[in-house]
Amino acid sequence: MPSLKRIVETGLHVRDVNASIDFYQGVLGLEVIDGNERFCALSVADRDVLLLFLEGASASPIDLPGGRIPPHGSHGSIHFAFSVDVRDLPAWEQRLADNGVAIESRVQWERGGTSLYFRDLDGHLVELATPGVWSVY
């Protein structure tokens, strides 16, 4: 069986793409690498991509010069996590506080990892996770 290497992109559906860009740039320091009026691609550590799609804008197929992106979408809040170094947790807590982002929960995992949970503007549950959360991380 061929092997998978990693998850390349994670997509969120948001009510206001520009406000979400401001949130993810301002709070997490992500850089815009592509976008238009219906979506934005943000670089995560110059390796992964966080996609922000305007709610409903991807309900129809998107034709590109190289092919067609099938329709897709989601409803309600979802959960995803960013990897962070344990030594950076205090700085992340301060950055969230400085940006008025409340930490909803903090979990100390049995394997030694720590997770900080907070919400974005659309109610998605964002996690900052240190190594030791999973057997593979």
Side-chain angles (χ1 to χ4, degrees):
M1 178 172 166
S3 64
L4 297 174
K5 302 296 183 195
R6 64 183 228 224
I7 294 176
V8 174
E9 57 190 34
T10 297
L12 302 177
H13 293 86
V14 300
R15 290 182 298 270
D16 183 329
V17 173
N18 289 324
S20 292
I21 291 169
D22 291 345
F23 178 86
Y24 284 100
Q25 280 186 315
V27 176
L28 300 180
L30 303 185
E31 177 188 344
V32 173
I33 57 174
D34 198 0
N36 58 33
E37 66 282 347
R38 74 165 190 87
F39 92 103
C40 177
L42 299 161
S43 172
V44 180
D46 294 327
R47 177 183 171 165
D48 303 309
V49 178
L50 177 63
L51 296 170
L52 306 174
F53 293 104
L54 181 63
E55 284 182 352
S58 299
S60 297
I62 310 290
D63 289 317
L64 302 171
R68 174 177 276 197
I69 299 172
H72 58 283
S74 65
H75 301 283
S77 64
I78 65 159
H79 163 70
F80 64 101
F82 292 106
S83 170
V84 297
D85 288 327
V86 67
R87 69 179 177 271
D88 291 337
L89 276 181
W92 277 114
E93 289 174 298
Q94 187 62 54
R95 184 163 180 94
L96 293 171
D98 290 347
N99 283 278
V101 177
I103 295 173
E104 189 170 325
S105 182
R106 180 185 184 110
V107 175
Q108 185 66 44
W109 298 99
E110 292 177 5
R111 291 181 184 92
T114 301
S115 294
L116 299 178
Y117 295 93
F118 58 95
R119 302 277 174 175
D120 74 1
L121 300 176
D122 290 275
H124 299 301
L125 184 60
V126 183
E127 178 183 356
L128 302 179
T130 68
V133 171
W134 295 105
S135 61
V136 295
Y137 175 69

